[in-house]
């Protein structure tokens, strides 16, 4: 667990300090677009997609409009968001395990290891 947590948090620090590559950004965008369209292959999924938008946002966006928004995201925008939200004061960790990692996590945060 400790190794996995440190790896995740190290990646947060990398994203905060260095913009991701154009290749990695393109790969992430393609993944999101593929996931969006795969989830809309059935009529009940389409109904759910638009229903959730109406209920939660009171605005409807077509899948194509969502893809346009994905395509507009830049590496520097992602870095700015990471710098804003990937911080110790915003850190929330959930662990499902028979072991209690509270002390380990708290000690690592206090000494700056996380």
């Amino acid at each position: 667990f400790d190794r996995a947590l440190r790896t995740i948090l190290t990646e947060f620090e990398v994203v905060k300090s260095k913009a991701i590559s154009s290749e990695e950004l393109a790969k992430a965008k393609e993944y999101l677009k593929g996931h969006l369209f795969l989830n809309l292959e059935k009529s009940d999924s389409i109904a759910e997609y638009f229903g959730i938008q109406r209920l939660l946002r009171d605005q409807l966006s077509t899948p194509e409009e969502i893809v346009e928004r994905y395509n507009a995201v830049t590496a520097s925008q992602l870095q700015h968001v990471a710098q804003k939200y990937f911080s110790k004061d915003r850190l929330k960790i959930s662990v499902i395990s028979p072991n209690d990692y509270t002390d380990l996590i708290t000690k690592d945060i206090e000494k700056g290891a996380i």
Side-chain angles (χ1 to χ4, degrees):
F1 166 79
D2 188 46
R3 184 173 164 198
L5 178 61
R6 287 180 189 282
T7 300
I8 292 166
L9 296 173
T10 298
E11 284 302 309
F12 283 176
E13 290 302 319
V14 168
V15 173
K16 285 170 52 175
S17 63
K18 179 180 152 191
I20 65 170
S21 70
S22 57
E23 294 83 14
E24 190 172 0
L25 181 58
K27 184 178 174 182
K29 288 178 182 182
E30 289 305 311
Y31 171 81
L32 288 171
K33 290 184 263 185
H35 192 272
L36 173 65
F37 286 109
L38 281 174
N39 283 339
L40 295 175
E41 288 189 344
K42 298 188 290 182
S43 59
D44 60 332
S45 297
I46 295 169
E48 179 182 357
Y49 170 82
F50 285 109
I52 287 173
Q53 284 191 51
R54 174 57 81 192
L55 286 171
L56 300 180
R57 297 181 53 226
D58 197 32
Q59 176 184 350
L60 298 178
S61 298
T62 67
E64 292 77 14
E65 290 169 328
I66 300 295
V67 166
E68 286 177 24
R69 289 188 202 140
Y70 291 163
N71 288 334
V73 173
T74 66
S76 63
Q77 288 172 323
L78 287 177
Q79 185 177 14
H80 175 75
V81 170
Q83 290 168 345
K84 182 176 180 179
Y85 293 105
F86 293 172
S87 63
K88 289 179 190 173
D89 59 321
R90 292 181 175 263
L91 184 64
K92 307 288 185 258
I93 300 174
S94 297
V95 178
I96 299 172
S97 171
N99 302 315
D100 183 0
Y101 291 103
T102 305
D103 290 340
L104 175 68
I105 293 168
T106 303
K107 286 177 189 173
D108 281 349
I109 291 171
E110 288 172 355
K111 69 180 181 181
I114 296 179

